[in-house]
Each structure stands twice: as C-alpha cells, then as structure tokens.
Amino acid sequence: EIGSGLVGSEMCIRDSFDRLISLHKSADAKYRTANINISLIHMMLHILELSASLQNAKETRKPNHFVTYVLDYISEHYMEKIRQEDLAAQLKISVRYLGRLFKDYIGLPISTYINMFRINRSIVLMKDEKLTLTDIALSVGFSNSQYYSKVFMDVMNESPSHYRKHLSD
C-alpha cells in the first residue's frame, strides 16, 4: 500500500512539474501567474506528503487527513470568513495542534495560505475589467479593499492596481 502511494505521489509531482512548464510557456499571461502559484502550492503538498510517507507512513495518515480537509475547506470557502478556531472545532482538535500540523506540511501558517489563495483568486478576477478592485477584494473574502491591497503588496510585491495595469498590456 505504501509503495503504491509513493508511486502515485511521484506521478502527481511529475504531472505538476509538467503543468508548471506548460503554464510558464503559455501565451496567456493573464492567468499564468495565478495558476503557477496554485500549481506550486499543490506540488509542494505532494512533495511534503511523499517525504512524510517515507519518514513514517503510519503516523502521517491522520495529520495528512486534517491538512487535506483544511486545504479543501479553504478552496471551497475562501470567499467567506475562515477562522482557525472553527476549522479545529470541525476536526475536533486544538487550534494549536492544527496550526502546527498545517505549518509542518505546507510550510506556511493557515492564515498566510488563505491570504495567498485569495490573492491568486483575485488575480484571475482582475481580467474582468467591469469589476472594481473593491468588488474583487470582497468577492475573494477580504473584509475591505485596504487590507486586500496590503496583503496583495506583501504577496506580489506590487499594488493590485499596478498589477492589473500590466495584465491589460
């Protein structure tokens, strides 16, 4: 069972790597950055799962389930307020334990991952010129446009308006 899981993870990593190369070569620059970031995060998760499986497959099964649950939850509910306390309560574990597991597997705190995920989603929405940056910020789960701009600047090293301007060039 463990051997087949490792082969599957290795195949996922190869597939993710091939997808990254394809995205990098893609002429459609409007989605490229967001898709590359998301693909890198997924590849990182597969690599972490593979290394955890090699270290101790039996012990990593349960934490992996928790991290997978959180990743799926964020993917489905990123536009809503997400509280770590609520996630931990749903999983029936402590907030501290969940935070430690997530950081061990993903390499980022949950809140940082959520912000990065939201920024990537916002980049996709920037293509629609009818949407204001405030509309985009609110639709991806930020409480206001000022906080969105701050987080965007932290993640992308430029303002959302400047980044959007480059999308239309």
Side-chain angles (χ1 to χ4, degrees), residues 6-24:
L6 295 179
V7 171
S9 290
E10 290 172 358
M11 300 248 328
C12 288
I13 294 168
R14 279 192 214 113
D15 291 345
S16 295
F17 188 71
D18 291 342
R19 179 164 165 67
L20 282 171
I21 291 171
S22 171
L23 287 169
H24 181 69

Side-chain angles (χ1 to χ4, degrees), residues 88-107:
Q90 291 169 21
L91 294 167
K92 296 177 178 39
I93 59 175
S94 74
V95 174
R96 177 181 255 174
Y97 181 60
L98 177 61
R100 191 174 72 240
L101 281 175
F102 194 89
K103 186 159 184 173
D104 287 347
Y105 275 84
I106 303 300

Side-chain angles (χ1 to χ4, degrees), residues 30-113:
K30 294 183 181 188
Y31 293 109
R32 186 173 48 210
T33 302
N35 287 328
I36 286 174
N37 287 343
I38 291 169
S39 292
L40 283 170
I41 289 169
H42 285 291
M43 185 188 306
M44 190 169 95
L45 177 61
H46 289 298
I47 290 169
L48 290 169
E49 286 177 0
L50 180 61
S51 65
S53 295
L54 291 172
Q55 289 175 10
N56 190 345
K58 197 172 192 178
E59 283 186 18
T60 60
R61 228 175 247 152
K62 203 167 195 178
N64 182 32
H65 166 74
F66 295 145
V67 172
T68 301
Y69 177 85
V70 171
L71 291 171
D72 290 343
Y73 187 90
I74 292 168
S75 179
E76 293 174 19
H77 299 277
Y78 66 91
M79 67 295 288
E80 304 164 13
K81 183 173 184 165
I82 300 173
R83 294 175 7 110
Q84 292 181 45
E85 293 83 2
D86 297 336
L87 290 169
Q90 291 169 21
L91 294 167
K92 296 177 178 39
I93 59 175
S94 74
V95 174
R96 177 181 255 174
Y97 181 60
L98 177 61
R100 191 174 72 240
L101 281 175
F102 194 89
K103 186 159 184 173
D104 287 347
Y105 275 84
I106 303 300
L108 300 168
I110 294 173
S111 59
T112 302
Y113 178 86

Side-chain angles (χ1 to χ4, degrees), residues 3 9 45 54 56 100 127 129 131 135 150 160 166:
S9 290
L45 177 61
L54 291 172
N56 190 345
R100 191 174 72 240
K127 181 180 178 185
E129 295 178 8
L131 295 173
D135 293 336
K150 179 195 175 315
H166 289 296

